[in-house]
Amino acid sequence: MQITVEMIETKEFKTKPRGYDPQEVDEFLDAICDEMVRQMDEIAALKQQLAAAKAARPVVEAPTQQIRPIMHTSMPVHTPAPVAQPVAEKNVPDSDFREILEMAQKVKRETIAAAEAKAEEIVTKAREEATAKLENLDVEKETLTKQVAALKAAAAEYRAKFESLLQAQQEAIEKASDLF
């Protein structure tokens, strides 16, 4: 499947709670689109240069016979013109085309490698951030769990003291009622 700039620009990804930052992904895809457009423009320009070079290549035609008069006679004599030696045709445009194509392929490979490296860097950074956040959440959870346990223990102690105070008050009321 050939990927086009339009496909990249319109691609929508599903989002998940712990997925990638959509804005960061969109910015990266925009950068890829810009680079693809630049490369396509460069390829088009190189194709135009190639076509111009091919069009400018000189065409060698076979010479026609010339009529040369001989000075001492009154009749013209037809003598063939010397046969032109064929000009060694250089494959400069073809080799230039190959060189341009190789350069374009090299740029493509470098661009893809750079994009993959950047993507790997982004993924690694995201994983590190997620791991750090999870560790922080684990520490926070442990702290909160200890605080809840301490509050429960304090509530239980308060309840026990309150019950003993009520018990003491009830006993005091019972003793006082014996007096009346």
Side-chain angles (χ1 to χ4, degrees), residues 22-174:
Q23 182 179 357
E24 192 174 354
V25 172
D26 287 343
E27 289 171 0
F28 185 68
L29 290 175
D30 289 343
I32 290 172
C33 289
D34 293 343
E35 179 61 22
M36 283 182 69
V37 168
R38 187 195 66 75
Q39 287 181 3
M40 289 188 304
D41 290 345
E42 184 178 348
I43 289 170
L46 292 173
K47 284 181 179 180
Q48 287 178 347
Q49 287 178 358
L50 177 64
K54 283 183 177 180
R57 190 168 36 184
V59 178
V60 178
E61 295 181 14
T64 58
Q65 290 185 348
Q66 296 178 356
I67 300 174
R68 289 188 186 174
I70 298 180
M71 297 284 197
H72 299 297
T73 64
S74 61
M75 291 187 58
V77 176
H78 296 286
T79 57
V83 177
Q85 297 296 322
V87 175
E89 227 181 88
K90 296 179 183 176
N91 287 336
V92 174
D94 291 339
S95 66
D96 283 351
F97 177 72
R98 282 190 208 107
E99 185 178 327
I100 291 168
L101 183 60
E102 288 171 4
M103 286 176 20
Q105 289 171 343
K106 179 182 176 187
V107 168
K108 174 187 168 189
R109 285 190 301 273
E110 289 172 353
T111 302
I112 290 172
E116 288 174 347
K118 182 67 175 174
E120 184 62 33
E121 180 183 320
I122 290 169
V123 168
T124 301
K125 183 179 176 184
R127 284 189 179 137
E128 289 171 354
E129 288 176 3
T131 301
K133 285 180 182 180
L134 285 174
E135 288 174 2
N136 289 341
L137 289 175
D138 286 342
V139 168
E140 189 176 337
K141 176 184 172 187
E142 187 176 317
T143 302
L144 290 173
T145 303
K146 287 179 182 178
Q147 288 176 352
V148 168
L151 288 172
K152 284 182 179 179
E157 183 181 332
Y158 178 76
R159 179 182 211 125
K161 284 182 181 180
F162 187 70
E163 286 175 355
S164 75
L165 182 62
L166 284 177
Q167 185 72 24
Q169 288 295 319
Q170 189 175 7
E171 288 173 7
I173 290 174
E174 286 177 8

Side-chain angles (χ1 to χ4, degrees), residues 1-12:
M1 175 173 86
Q2 184 177 5
I3 297 175
T4 64
V5 173
E6 292 80 21
M7 291 170 67
I8 294 172
E9 288 176 338
T10 59
K11 177 66 179 167
E12 293 292 327

